[in-house]
Every structure is written in C-alpha cells, then in structure tokens.
Amino acid sequence: ALARSPPGSPGPRILRWADRMAGGGVAAAIAAAAAVGASLVVGLQAACPDGTWLAYPAEGPPDMPETCVKGFALRDGERGILACAERCRAENASLPCVWGPTQNKFLLDSFQQRVYIGLYQRDTDHPTQGWNDWANGCTSPYRHWHWQEPDDRKGIREDCATVGQDLDDDWHTYPCNDHFFCVCESPGTSTQAFLTSEHLRNVHLVGVDGEEDVIVTTEKEDEYEGRYNELRLVTIALAVTVVVLSVALFITTVRLRRRSRGSESLGLKSSETSPASVVGASAAVQ
C-alpha cells in the first residue's frame, strides 16, 4: 500500500496515474479519466427524476442542493402560471428560482422560447414594486430586467416574470394567466402564499382594487387585445392615407409649377417679337 501523502503533496490516485503515464500506460490513463468523467455524468443524471429532466447548473449559496429542470406545454383548458404550478406540484417540483446569469442563460438555451420563472409580484398597482417573492420561497436577489421592465401595458397588471422573449435572456413581465411554456425545478415545493395569491389567477386593471375590484377574464382580455389591434390597424391606415395624400399633393404642386413656368416662357417669347416682323407679316397678308 502507498504511504499516506504529506499535506500539499499529490494524492495516491494522481501518483498512480503519473506512474502509468511514465511507464507507457497512456491508453490506460485515458481510459481511467474517461471512467471518472462518465461517473460524474451518471451522478448528475442520478440526481434527476428521469431522463426527461435536465441537470440545473449549480448557482447560488454553497449549501444549495442539486436540482433539475423540465419543460412542458399546458394542456387544453389550462392557462397561466398557477396551472404551471399545479403541474409542477404533481412532479414534486416548483417553478424555477434563478440565482444568477448561468441559470438564466441555461433556461433560455434549453427551452428556446418564453417561459415563466418563479418570480412574481405582490398584490400592488405599482409596476416596479413588490418583486421580492419566488414561487418556491427562495431568496435569490438576482434580477435581469429588460430596460423597459417591469411595467404594466395597456392598463393591465403584469405580475409575473418570464425569460426568453425574442430568444433574449432579459426578463419581461406579463399577466399571470397568459398561456406560456412551463418549466419546473425539482425537487421543489411552491409556497402556500404563492398558490393562494388570487391576483395571480386573474388579470386585474391597474388602479382598481378592494371590494370594487374588476377582474378581467380571459374573454375580456382577448376583447381588449382585439380592440387594441383594431385601433392599431386604423392608425396605420390613417398614416398611410396621409402619406399618399402628401405625395399626391407634392406631385400636383410640381406639375402646376411646371405649367406656370411654361406659360410664362410663352408669354416672354411673344413679347420679344420685333415690330418689323409684325409689319412684314401685315404686308404679306395684304
């Protein structure tokens, strides 16, 4: 047996590997290194429930356990972040917590579309306040907002965060009942505060709360979206009409100026006719 190596010296495995290399056992050393790498891969896969899950990069506090992520589309009739949370709960999972840029980029590269993350807003009308809570109760301070976010578009509250819009790793806010791709992180458990947050279940108008709260259903949200699109089309049509009329007016003005200049030229030529030529013309007529 090898004697115990003193502190700071190479370990027995490294010494044995060096001996093999020195003795010409290069192939054996390569095989041993491959075996070590394979065991690491197997170890990562073993931490995931099955082969449909991906090992989530380790980021955050040192004592964080290894986790895995999995993406899936909602079924017909399912909608919103809480529907994602229910599907995750069935898998002993929750929506993902993002501890830093490595995990954020991993979600983008792995799923290549807009997905819900676990960050959500408290029940407030101010678009930039209350973004402190994660679905699984993690305490990640990491934020990666798009420069125009967080906001509330068209007077509708957007209380949930997403990543992957336009295949970009910036975060965008959306109403929490929008139909987006879901990602679960396992193991994980959603907090009761998250699961019972009614303002995440429906879409609310900004500035309307309390007993007079007006809940915008999916149908009304679609109606508002339709009206917005109609107004946008009318605006575009008006803009195109203005451009066409402006071009037509410009062309007409140019033509009128050319005609005016032509008339002026003819007038000048007639006025320049000599009196002798006029007399000669008169005599010829006689």
Side-chain angles (χ1 to χ4, degrees):
L2 291 174
R4 183 181 297 273
S5 301
S9 63
R13 293 183 180 179
I14 297 177
L15 292 176
R16 286 197 294 269
W17 180 79
D19 290 341
R20 290 178 182 177
M21 291 291 290
V26 177
I30 293 175
V36 172
S39 64
L40 291 175
V41 172
V42 171
L44 285 174
Q45 292 176 342
C48 298
D50 56 51
T52 63
W53 294 78
L54 303 173
Y56 202 27
E59 201 166 15
D63 57 345
M64 288 292 297
E66 292 182 355
T67 60
C68 303
V69 291
K70 176 182 179 179
F72 57 89
L74 290 173
R75 305 185 186 99
D76 292 341
E78 294 179 327
R79 190 181 182 95
I81 194 170
L82 292 181
C84 290
E86 290 297 327
R87 293 285 298 277
C88 290
R89 182 160 62 173
E91 302 274 0
N92 188 32
S94 64
L95 277 90
C97 179
V98 183
W99 285 96
T102 302
Q103 291 183 341
N104 193 52
K105 189 71 163 51
F106 182 83
L107 293 176
L108 173 66
D109 294 340
S110 299
F111 302 107
Q112 292 288 302
Q113 58 184 301
R114 186 187 297 121
V115 302
Y116 282 119
I117 59 176
L119 185 67
Y120 68 98
Q121 188 181 24
R122 294 177 183 174
D123 193 0
T124 175
D125 284 332
H126 198 290
T128 62
Q129 297 178 359
W131 291 98
N132 305 309
D133 299 320
W134 292 84
N136 63 1
C138 82
T139 57
S140 170
Y142 178 74
R143 303 291 184 270
H144 194 60
W145 295 115
H146 182 270
W147 69 275
Q148 292 179 313
E149 300 283 2
D151 70 346
D152 290 326
R153 288 191 316 125
K154 298 180 290 185
I156 297 177
R157 282 176 40 174
E158 300 179 344
D159 296 331
C160 289
T162 65
V163 65
Q165 177 170 318
D166 300 323
L167 297 182
D168 188 76
D169 63 353
D170 288 335
W171 294 358
H172 292 261
T173 60
Y174 278 91
C176 297
N177 74 338
D178 275 358
H179 193 95
F180 294 142
F181 197 73
C182 300
V183 173
C184 298
E185 181 182 3
S186 176
T189 304
S190 298
T191 65
Q192 196 64 21
F194 169 70
L195 295 174
T196 57
S197 295
E198 286 300 318
H199 71 286
L200 305 181
R201 191 173 302 279
N202 300 290
V203 181
H204 298 256
L205 296 174
V206 175
V208 183
D209 52 19
E211 295 181 357
E212 298 180 356
D213 194 11
V214 177
I215 298 177
V216 183
T217 62
T218 301
E219 292 77 12
K220 285 196 173 183
E221 183 188 359
D222 293 339
E223 182 183 348
Y224 291 151
E225 185 74 21
R227 290 179 181 177
Y228 171 78
N229 290 332
E230 290 176 3
L231 181 59
R232 184 174 59 179
L233 290 175
V234 170
T235 303
I236 293 173
L238 289 174
V240 171
T241 302
V242 170
V243 171
V244 171
L245 290 176
S246 299
V247 172
L249 180 61
F250 174 77
I251 294 174
T252 303
T253 303
V254 170
R255 288 179 175 176
L256 289 175
R257 286 181 177 177
R258 287 179 178 176
R259 289 180 181 178
S260 176
R261 289 175 181 175
S263 300
E264 291 177 358
S265 298
L266 291 175
L268 289 174
K269 288 182 179 180
S270 61
S271 63
E272 291 174 355
T273 304
S274 62
S277 61
V278 173
V279 171
S282 300
V285 171
Q286 293 175 356

